[in-house]
Structures are given as C-alpha cells and as structure tokens.
C-alpha cells in the first residue's frame, strides 16, 4: 500500500510539473504567437480571454464526467491533449488554426487542472497529512523551467514549433508512462465498480463552498496582477530599466516554489488555518510594499513577499474543498465534484485580475490599483476558519488516513 501511494504521489507530481512547463511555454510566448499569426492588438484579448473561459467549461464538464469515469483516466488523456494543442499553437499558420488550438488547449486545461487537483486531494486524505502544497511546488518548478525555455527560444529567435516540439516529445510519453501509477482515492481505482461508486455527485451546495470560491478568486486576482503588471509597474511607476523590469516575476515564481516546497511542513506543524492566515497577511503586506515603494528594489521586495504569501492559498483551498465535501457527504464522488466546482473560480480570478488593475491604473493610479488586490487577499483572513477540519471527526483539526482502493493504480495501461 505504501509503495503504491508513493508511486502515485510521484507520478502525480510529475503531472503537475508537466502542466507548469506547458502553460508557461504558452503564456510567455504570447508576443511571438501574435506575430506569427498576425493577430491585432484589438483581437488578442479575445483569444486570451477565450482560454480561461473554455477552461472553466472544461472544469464544469469534468465534474459531470467523474461521476462515471475515474479522475485518473481524465488526467491521463487530457494531459497529452494539452501538450498536442500547445504544439498546434506553435505549428499553425492561420488564425483559424490558432483559434482551434487555443480552444482545445483551454478545454483540456480545465479538465487537466480539475482532475489533477482531485487526485491530489484524495491522495492527501489517504496520507492523512498535508502533501498538497508539494504538488503545486512541482507546478511552480515546471513553470520556471517553461519560462526559461521560452526565454531561450526567444533569445535564439527559434520558431515556435522548434521551441515546443522537443518539450512535447519528452513530456508526452513520460506523462503517459507515469499515468500508469496514478491512484484514485476514495472512489476506487478503475473499472465499473469504481465508476458506480462515484454516482450521485456532491451533496455540498454552492453556499457551503462560497467562502472557498471567494478565496480562490482573490488568490488568482493577486496572481494575475503580478504576472500581468509587475514588469510594467516596475518600469513605468518605479522607474527601473527594461532589463530590471523582467526580474520581479522571476523572483515571484522562485519564492512561490520555495514557499510551496516548505508549506506542507507548516501545515503539519501549525495547521491549515494558521498557514492560510499567515499567507494572506504576508501577501497583503507585499501589495502594500509594492504600492508604497519609493524605488525598484523596494518594489521587488514587495513582489518577493507576494510569492511567499500567495503560494499557500490555492493548494490549501483545494484541500479544504475536498475535506468539506467528504465531511458533509460520505459519497466518494463528493470531493471530486467540489474540487471541479472550485476550480472554475481559478479562471474567474484570472479573468478579473488583469483587466481590473489595468482599468484602475488608467482611471486612477497604478499605486492605488495595487491596494485593491491587497484588500481582497486580506479578506481571506475572515474566511480562514473554512480551512479547518472538524475536530470531532479528525481529532484536533488534523486529518487522518483514509482508505483508498488502489487496485493496479488507475486502470493500468
């Protein structure tokens, strides 16, 4: 049993890593994609908005599919689709091809994000201790590698397909092989029996999930603010050089990785509530430092704090949703459905964050605009109790191990 869970944990971590690489390769080469297809500045936001919207559709569809199909099977086939769609973005030459490739990418990413986090939540419950942050640390590591590969491709002026093809050629077969060891927790492994156990969906209503949905939205508003506006803010507001303006997001990604790598130990030692509260306060402090920074180096200190603070919120929100569903509804599919519903608000925050800061910056000031995500992230402190396990069920607010039907892992190849 221990070996099966360890293999399942390692293979899922690689899945998170591969997704981080793929997503970073897409978003960091948007200017090159725009140039390749001749997409106008007016049309580009439509393409960019379509990806998270379709990802939300994919996540909603995943909630329904997991009533009949194990999440591991959805993850196994959605990950190759994401990688092939990425290659399609790089290899096409007409706007219609770009639209189809991004559409497929968005739908598959929604299913991939939802199913990955479903498996992560169920594995954490099987372990009986916090491991969710470690999966998201693997995603951050993949994002750093993907961004580095994208920089290399841009530096050497490589065609998009030349940059993407070697990555897809390595990650796709590795992901398929690794998927052999995925473990479906609580709902069983593969086969009809496991699928039947998932019937009935989730008894947890939207009202119960609302605090976690808000936290997820606020966290991604903060994250999208950093990813979309950090360079412009440092250069235009704090007067940095163009080269120095590229540093804050890299610093943010590295500190996110570090925070997630050690975050599970913090959850085990102090509990999820304390970690979430601490993360929200640190992130709010980071936005305050950015808003009041007299110069570029102080601004980078603020972005460093943002990475350390925001990094814990999303993984713990997924874990809390799965725990809430399992506590309120004993059916195995409850946790999966709750995670899929919550995952939609990942994309809601992403869609809101960048336009919100941009509109406020243009109408008011970019320093003032940074105070809005600060306040939203700070609201997370109010909802921190939603991250607490019921003491009467788990004893002192800590999780206990849950049984999993591992079988061969997950519908072995």
């Amino acid at each position: 049993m221990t070996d099966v869970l360890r293999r399942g944990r390692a293979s899922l971590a690689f899945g998170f890593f591969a997704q981080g690489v793929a997503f970073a390769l897409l978003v960091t080469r948007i200017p090159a994609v725009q140039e390749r297809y001749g997409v106008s500045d007016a049309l580009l936001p439509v393409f960019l908005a379509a990806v998270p919207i379709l990802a939300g559709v994919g996540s909603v569809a995943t909630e329904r599919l997991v009533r009949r199909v194990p999440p591991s099977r959805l993850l196994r086939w959605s990950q190759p689709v994401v990688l092939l769609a990425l290659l399609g973005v790089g290899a096409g030459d007409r706007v219609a091809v770009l639209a189809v490739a991004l559409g497929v990418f968005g739908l598959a990413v929604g299913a991939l994000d939802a199913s990955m986090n479903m498996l992560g939540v169920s594995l954490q419950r099987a372990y009986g201790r916090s491991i969710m942050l470690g999966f998201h640390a693997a995603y951050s590591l993949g994002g750093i590698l993907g961004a580095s590969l994208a920089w290399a491709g841009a530096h050497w002026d490589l065609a998009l397909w030349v940059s993407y093809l070697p990555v897809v050629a390595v990650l796709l077969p590795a992901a398929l092989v690794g998927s052999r060891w995925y473990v479906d927790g609580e709902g069983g492994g593969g086969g009809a029996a496991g699928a039947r156990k998932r019937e009935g969906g989730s008894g947890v209503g939207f009202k119960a999930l609302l605090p976690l949905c808000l936290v997820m939205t606020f966290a991604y508003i903060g994250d999208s603010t950093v990813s979309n506006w950090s360079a412009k803010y440092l250069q235009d507001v704090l007067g940095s050089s163009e080269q120095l303006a590229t540093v804050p997001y890299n610093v943010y990604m590295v500190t996110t990785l570090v925070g997630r790598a050690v975050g599970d130990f913090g959850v085990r030692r102090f509990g999820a509530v304390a970690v979430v509260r601490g993360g929200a306060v640190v992130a709010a402090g980071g936005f305050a430092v950015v808003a009041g920074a007299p110069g570029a180096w102080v601004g980078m200190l603020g972005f460093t704090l943002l990475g350390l603070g925001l990094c814990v919120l999303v993984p713990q929100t997924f874990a809390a949703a799965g725990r809430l569903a399992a506590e309120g509804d004993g059916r195995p599919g409850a946790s999966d459905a709750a995670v899929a519903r919550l995952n939609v608000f990942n994309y809601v925050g992403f869609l809101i964050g960048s336009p919100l800061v941009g509109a406020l910056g243009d109408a008011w000031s970019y320093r003032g605009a940074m105070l809005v995500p600060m306040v939203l992230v700070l609201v997370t402190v109010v909802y921190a109790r939603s991250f607490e396990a019921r003491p009467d069920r788990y004893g002192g607010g800590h999780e206990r191990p849950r049984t999993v039907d591992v079988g061969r892992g997950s519908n072995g190849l």
Side-chain angles (χ1 to χ4, degrees):
M1 177 70 74
T2 301
D3 289 342
V4 169
L5 291 178
R6 285 175 178 169
R7 287 195 297 268
R9 182 179 178 182
S11 61
L12 182 59
F14 180 79
F16 272 87
F17 171 81
Q19 168 63 346
V21 174
F23 193 76
L25 278 171
L26 176 65
V27 299
T28 56
R29 296 303 308 274
I30 291 299
V33 172
Q34 183 181 12
E35 181 180 354
R36 177 179 180 85
Y37 289 92
V39 178
S40 66
D41 289 339
L43 189 59
L44 182 62
V46 177
F47 280 93
L48 298 182
V51 174
I53 290 172
L54 289 172
V57 173
S59 187
V60 171
T62 300
E63 177 189 346
R64 298 182 178 277
L65 287 171
V66 294
R67 299 176 186 178
R68 299 288 182 178
V69 180
S72 60
R73 189 178 299 172
L74 291 177
L75 176 55
R76 169 179 296 162
W77 296 115
S78 60
Q79 191 145 55
V81 172
V82 166
L83 292 169
L84 291 173
L86 174 69
L87 186 58
V89 169
D93 56 4
R94 292 182 297 172
V95 172
V97 175
L98 175 65
V100 171
L102 287 178
V104 173
F105 186 92
L107 288 170
V109 159
L112 176 60
D113 286 346
S115 56
M116 279 197 312
N117 283 290
M118 288 173 187
L119 291 187
V121 167
S122 62
L123 267 176
Q124 175 166 292
R125 292 181 66 78
Y127 267 78
R129 56 187 172 89
S130 179
I131 60 172
M132 196 67 181
L133 280 154
F135 294 129
H136 285 259
Y139 178 90
S140 297
L141 180 61
I144 293 172
L145 176 60
S148 300
L149 291 173
W151 178 89
H155 178 74
W156 294 103
D157 198 25
L158 299 177
L160 283 172
W161 72 269
V162 175
S163 297
Y164 291 166
L165 181 59
V167 176
V168 173
V170 171
L171 291 183
L172 195 153
L176 283 173
V177 172
S179 70
R180 179 180 181 85
W181 294 285
Y182 289 154
V183 174
D184 287 295
E186 299 188 329
R196 284 195 299 270
K197 290 180 183 180
R198 286 186 173 81
E199 292 183 13
S202 171
V204 179
F206 177 74
K207 184 177 180 180
L209 283 176
L210 180 59
L212 299 178
C213 294
L214 291 174
V215 171
M216 180 70 77
T217 302
F218 297 158
Y220 271 99
I221 287 175
D223 180 83
S224 64
T225 297
V226 178
S227 60
N228 288 285
W229 294 105
S230 59
K232 179 178 176 62
Y233 188 86
L234 218 72
Q235 187 171 353
D236 293 355
V237 179
L238 300 183
S240 77
S241 66
E242 183 178 356
Q243 291 77 14
L244 189 60
T246 64
V247 174
Y249 186 61
N250 288 330
V251 170
Y252 173 78
M253 292 175 67
V254 171
T255 53
T256 295
L257 171 61
V258 172
R260 287 174 171 174
V262 301
D264 283 321
F265 298 103
V267 174
R268 296 169 200 166
R269 177 64 179 84
F270 302 107
V273 174
V275 169
V276 168
R277 281 178 176 162
V281 170
V282 171
F287 275 118
V289 171
V290 169
W297 290 103
V298 177
M300 278 196 284
L301 172 62
F303 287 114
T304 300
L305 292 174
L306 280 170
L308 292 173
L310 289 176
C311 70
V312 301
L313 300 183
V314 172
Q316 284 306 301
T317 305
F318 277 121
R323 184 167 56 241
L324 177 65
E327 290 171 350
D329 186 332
R331 287 173 290 182
S335 176
D336 293 341
V339 169
R341 293 176 188 178
L342 180 65
N343 188 56
V344 173
F345 290 86
N346 161 351
Y347 312 117
V348 172
F350 190 85
L351 280 171
I352 292 174
S354 182
L356 175 66
V357 171
L360 289 173
D362 291 338
W364 180 23
S365 75
Y366 281 97
R367 287 187 184 272
M370 291 294 166
L371 298 177
V372 175
M374 179 196 77
V375 172
L376 294 177
V377 169
L378 200 56
V379 171
T380 298
V381 175
V382 178
Y383 298 120
R385 281 292 173 189
S386 301
F387 292 80
E388 186 175 28
R390 295 180 184 176
D392 60 323
R393 186 176 178 90
Y394 299 111
H398 296 285
E399 295 188 51
R400 69 181 181 186
R402 297 291 295 266
T403 58
V404 289
D405 178 5
V406 293
R408 293 180 59 196
S410 74
N411 313 304
L413 293 174

